[in-house]
């Protein structure tokens, strides 16, 4: 990488030895704000609709194609992104065009904006709905070296971007392969069991959670689990909660004791319905509505692993009801059959799957960490390539 930056430094020294001219955003590009979706167009499945937080839904109409999008409502520091193909741009964001293509390369300014995302995010109102201060954004100053240098930088950054995309695809493929291998071995362990299959209702009781709402969640107090967290933020077994509640709320809740299962029985998709975790905490955890507590005498981790098998998923699908919101009732959960080996055999299976789960988790953590390191390296060199001495300043 050092030779790349040295090459650009030599070009700068040769083509602009006195430094580089800076221009404001307003002098360089025209902001092209999106358009609200009308009721007649607020439907369809073909084109993604982009707003302040990325793609939100789809429509059968489009007003942009192959563009960089800048979010006016800064949901995160990722305020700039490239959208390939046809899409609809809402008025919560904008695309842009270059005013003078003999002065400025479209891809050069796009890379500069990508590199300036933290500054763009900081240039927004500090309210709950962060709104980009467009007037201040237009006053951002951009270094504009000669076109030969811009084109050289774009060529280098294009190669970096392609390499990053290839690496991400390779890591995701490896993770998917390892995950499929783990799922196959897990299912094989359960299928090989030579033991009775018993309805869950014969082995324990299902108690529906109650009363806990998102507004009740706080950072300290009594341990509580909201059903939405079960399939978004928890693993298969936990001994600490992510959220807490005050005494008044907690005292009214039904609670999962150590060894109970907590099952999210409501979701917007079939995959997440009946995601379960084994509660292993010493203190009972208060549980929200749209979740069930399963009280039983089996190995809790054995039961939570069973809930991830294809056998359980096949049985579950027969009982899902609802259209937009998908549900499974406690009565229907009672009918699902589980293989019931001895407690010793349950522990043997848990020990094996714990080792596999650790390997898979370390892989799922390790691969994104490797990708993040590569991205950080790429962003560092992108910043180096896009930083220039201002004309007239001391060299």
């Amino acid at each position: 990488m050092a030779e790349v930056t040295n090459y650009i430094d030599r070009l700068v020294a040769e083509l602009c030895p006195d430094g580089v001219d800076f221009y404001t955003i307003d002098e360089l590009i025209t902001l092209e704000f999106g358009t609200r979706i009308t009721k007649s167009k607020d439907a369809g499945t073909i084109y993604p609709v982009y707003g302040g937080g990325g793609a939100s839904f789809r429509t059968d109409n489009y007003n942009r194609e192959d563009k960089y999008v800048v979010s006016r409502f800064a949901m995160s520091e990722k305020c700039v992104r490239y959208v390939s193909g046809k899409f609809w741009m809402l008025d919560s964001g904008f695309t842009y065009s270059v005013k003078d293509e003999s002065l400025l390369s479209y891809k050069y300014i796009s890379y500069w904006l990508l590199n300036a995302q933290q500054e763009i995010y900081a240039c927004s109102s500090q309210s709950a709905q962060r709104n980009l201060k467009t007037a201040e954004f237009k006053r951002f100053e951009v270094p504009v070296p000669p076109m030969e240098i811009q084109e050289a930088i774009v060529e280098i950054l294009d190669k970096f971007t392609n390499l990053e995309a290839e690496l991400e695809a390779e890591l995701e493929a490896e993770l998917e392969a390892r995950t499929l291998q783990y799922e196959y071995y897990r299912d094989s362990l359960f299928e090989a069991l030579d033991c009775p299959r018993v309805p869950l209702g014969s082995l324990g009781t299902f108690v529906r959670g109650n009363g806990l709402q998102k507004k009740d969640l706080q950072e300290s107090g009594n341990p509580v689990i909201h059903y939405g967290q079960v399939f978004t933020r928890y693993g298969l077994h936990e001994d600490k909660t992510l959220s807490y509640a005050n005494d008044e709320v907690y005292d009214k809740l039904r609670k999962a004791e150590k060894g109970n299962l907590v099952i999210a029985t409501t979701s917007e998709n079939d995959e997440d319905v009946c995601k379960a975790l084994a509660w292993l905490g010493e203190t009972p955890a208060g549980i929200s509505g749209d979740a069930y507590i399963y009280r039983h005498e089996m190995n809790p981790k054995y039961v939570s692993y069973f809930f991830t098998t294809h056998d359980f998923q096949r049985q579950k699908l027969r009982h899902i009801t609802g259209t937009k919101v998908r549900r499974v009732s406690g009565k229907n959960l009672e009918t699902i059959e589980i293989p019931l080996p001895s407690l010793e055999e349950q522990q043997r299976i848990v020990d094996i799957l714990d080792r596999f789960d650790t390997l898979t988790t370390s892989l799922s953590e390790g691969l994104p960490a490797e990708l993040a390191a590569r991205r950080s390296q790429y962003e560092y060199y992108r910043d180096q390539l896009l930083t220039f001495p201002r004309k007239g300043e001391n060299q």
Side-chain angles (χ1 to χ4, degrees):
M1 289 301 305
E3 62 272 17
V4 170
T5 52
N6 288 338
Y7 168 63
I8 298 299
D9 288 342
R10 288 196 301 271
L11 278 180
V12 172
E14 176 186 344
L15 298 177
C16 38
D18 297 328
V20 171
D21 289 316
F22 279 64
Y23 295 80
T24 65
I25 287 282
D26 196 39
E27 291 175 307
L28 295 173
I29 61 177
T30 300
L31 309 188
E32 299 169 339
F33 293 97
T35 309
R36 289 186 182 183
I37 287 279
T38 62
K39 287 186 177 180
S40 62
K41 296 179 179 178
D42 188 5
T45 58
I46 302 176
Y47 306 116
V49 176
Y50 278 83
S56 50
F57 55 96
R58 301 182 82 85
T59 180
D60 288 343
N61 299 271
Y62 69 93
N63 60 7
R64 298 288 195 277
E65 183 173 4
D66 296 331
K67 290 280 188 179
Y68 278 89
V69 169
V70 180
S71 168
R72 293 176 63 197
F73 297 156
M75 308 298 287
S76 71
E77 289 188 7
K78 188 173 182 180
C79 307
V80 184
R81 71 190 75 204
Y82 180 72
V83 181
S84 177
K86 297 173 180 176
F87 63 99
W88 186 276
M89 184 74 248
L90 292 173
D91 58 353
S92 54
F94 59 81
T95 57
Y96 50 89
S97 58
V98 171
K99 291 183 176 181
D100 183 354
E101 294 186 14
S102 66
L103 173 68
L104 182 70
S105 158
Y106 172 76
K107 293 204 73 174
Y108 171 83
I109 186 60
S110 298
Y111 277 126
W112 190 90
L113 289 170
L114 283 170
N115 198 56
Q117 296 206 71
Q118 289 187 3
E119 290 81 359
I120 297 172
Y121 181 69
C123 180
S124 58
S125 57
Q126 304 299 306
S127 58
Q129 177 66 71
R130 297 181 69 110
N131 194 355
L132 178 63
K133 298 175 183 177
T134 309
E136 288 187 22
F137 171 73
K138 288 181 177 181
R139 291 196 293 269
F140 278 19
E141 292 192 320
V142 181
V144 182
M147 187 60 70
E148 183 178 344
I149 296 176
Q150 294 182 45
E151 290 174 347
I153 290 172
V154 166
E155 183 179 357
I156 293 166
L157 293 179
D158 278 350
K159 288 178 181 178
F160 285 175
T161 302
N162 291 335
L163 287 172
E164 182 187 357
E166 290 172 7
L167 174 64
E168 185 168 0
E170 289 173 6
L171 295 179
E172 288 178 350
E174 182 178 355
L175 179 58
E176 182 179 2
R178 296 292 183 89
T179 302
L180 289 172
Q181 182 183 36
Y182 163 72
E183 290 175 353
Y184 174 80
Y185 190 77
R186 177 203 61 206
D187 287 353
S188 297
L189 277 175
F190 278 92
E191 290 168 3
L193 290 171
D194 184 15
C195 61
R197 293 174 60 84
V198 182
L200 290 171
S202 300
L203 300 170
T205 58
F206 289 91
V207 178
R208 186 170 184 174
N210 68 303
L212 181 66
Q213 300 180 43
K214 285 186 177 180
K215 66 180 179 63
D216 299 322
L217 305 181
Q218 53 190 46
E219 295 183 358
S220 62
N222 304 289
V224 294
I225 299 173
H226 189 271
Y227 84 95
Q229 297 173 327
V230 174
F231 48 75
T232 58
R233 301 185 63 189
Y234 282 113
L236 296 179
H237 45 86
E238 304 289 348
D239 60 6
K240 292 182 175 61
T241 60
L242 298 166
S243 302
Y244 301 85
N246 62 35
D247 291 346
E248 182 181 1
V249 171
Y250 180 76
D251 290 344
K252 297 176 182 178
L253 300 176
R254 299 189 180 104
K255 299 173 182 67
E257 305 284 344
K258 184 176 182 179
N260 292 170
L261 237 63
V262 179
I263 308 163
T265 52
T266 299
S267 176
E268 293 182 357
N269 62 74
D270 291 356
E271 181 181 359
D272 289 335
V273 174
C274 294
K275 164 68 167 55
L277 69 90
W279 175 242
L280 304 179
E282 296 296 335
T283 304
I287 306 302
S288 73
D290 289 319
Y292 273 83
I293 302 161
Y294 181 48
R295 297 170 178 161
H296 59 91
E297 298 299 325
M298 292 175 283
N299 185 308
K301 292 173 73 173
Y302 172 81
V303 186
S304 66
Y305 277 126
F306 171 70
F307 269 57
T308 67
T309 64
H310 288 118
D311 178 14
F312 175 83
Q313 298 301 319
R314 284 193 297 268
Q315 295 186 69
K316 173 192 81 175
L317 287 174
R318 298 197 299 266
H319 302 299
I320 297 177
T321 60
T323 51
K324 183 177 181 180
V325 177
R326 308 290 277 165
R327 302 177 185 276
V328 173
S329 70
K331 287 293 183 183
N332 285 327
L333 282 172
E334 291 176 357
T335 68
I336 291 179
E337 295 184 343
I338 183 173
L340 186 63
S342 66
L343 286 173
E344 291 76 15
E345 181 68 2
Q346 291 178 35
Q347 186 61 55
R348 184 186 74 85
I349 290 173
V350 166
D351 290 341
I352 293 171
L353 292 179
D354 275 352
R355 289 195 291 272
F356 267 86
D357 188 51
T358 299
L359 287 171
T360 305
T361 300
S362 64
L363 182 67
S364 65
E365 291 174 351
L367 293 183
E370 181 180 349
L371 180 59
R374 297 292 183 90
R375 283 176 176 163
S376 179
Q377 182 185 42
Y378 162 67
E379 289 168 2
Y380 170 78
Y381 282 108
R382 184 181 65 194
D383 184 60
Q384 294 294 302
L385 290 170
L386 294 168
T387 301
F388 298 92
R390 184 188 292 267
K391 181 180 288 187
E393 291 184 349
N394 293 329
Q395 302 297 302

